[in-house]
Amino acid sequence: MYKEAVKNKIPEQTVKAGDPLNNAGVLEIAQLLWDELRGLSVDRLQLAALEMQRAVDGLVSMVISGVMIAVLLLSAWLGALAAVVLVLIENGVTVSSAILLAVAANLFLTLILFAAIRRKRRFFQFSSTLRSLQPITPERLDAEKSS
């Protein structure tokens, strides 16, 4: 039964080089290849969209978790500051001086963190990416060869 199906699919006539049937066959194959390429492209785009959706879901989950961690750390920091202020008050420091000392310590720590962020900002300029997108000039090619 299977052999008969194969016999029915094999054409009995041969196609010659100048035959119009040959051109029609090539066009049909080209159309099939084009349809296959479009189908593969659509599949790849759908896969990329699904992966992007999954990545966004993960990012949202991470951001929410990060915010919750930040709130918990903030409350722990405020509790630690309150404990330090109470210890200072118990050791004879006035209430206003203890609070001002805690505020000064917070501002000092803020300045240190701000300086750390400022040092890291140069990494967000994408200088290597921008350089790779510029056209290659003869001067730039010579400079890259000498490096």
Side-chain angles (χ1 to χ4, degrees):
M1 182 167 170
Y2 176 71
K3 291 180 182 179
E4 291 175 16
V6 172
K7 283 183 184 178
N8 291 338
K9 287 192 174 193
I10 298 175
E12 295 295 327
Q13 63 184 16
T14 59
V15 180
K16 296 178 185 168
D19 197 355
L21 289 176
N22 189 17
N23 291 337
V26 170
L27 290 176
E28 184 179 323
I29 291 172
Q31 182 64 38
L32 289 173
L33 286 174
W34 178 251
D35 291 342
E36 184 71 23
L37 178 65
R38 277 192 4 226
L40 287 173
S41 299
V42 168
D43 289 345
R44 295 276 170 105
L45 287 174
Q46 287 175 342
L47 180 62
L50 289 173
E51 287 180 342
M52 182 64 73
Q53 182 181 9
R54 186 174 181 190
V56 168
D57 289 344
L59 179 65
V60 167
S61 174
M62 289 169 55
V63 167
I64 289 172
S65 297
V67 168
M68 291 174 66
I69 288 171
V71 168
L72 292 171
L73 286 174
L74 179 64
S75 64
W77 176 252
L78 290 176
L81 277 179
V84 168
V85 168
L86 289 176
V87 166
L88 288 173
I89 291 171
E90 287 176 357
N91 289 327
V93 179
T94 62
V95 175
S96 60
S97 296
I99 292 174
L100 283 176
L101 188 60
V103 168
N106 267 339
L107 289 176
F108 181 70
L109 185 60
T110 302
L111 287 174
I112 290 172
L113 292 174
F114 180 75
I117 290 171
R118 195 173 171 125
R119 278 193 312 267
K120 298 286 183 182
R121 76 176 177 180
R122 68 172 183 241
F123 296 119
F124 293 108
Q125 294 175 353
F126 299 103
S127 57
S128 297
T129 303
L130 290 174
R131 189 174 42 246
S132 73
L133 293 174
Q134 293 175 351
I136 297 178
T137 60
E139 296 85 18
R140 185 172 158 211
L141 187 60
D142 291 337
E144 288 180 2
K145 285 182 180 178
S146 65
S147 308

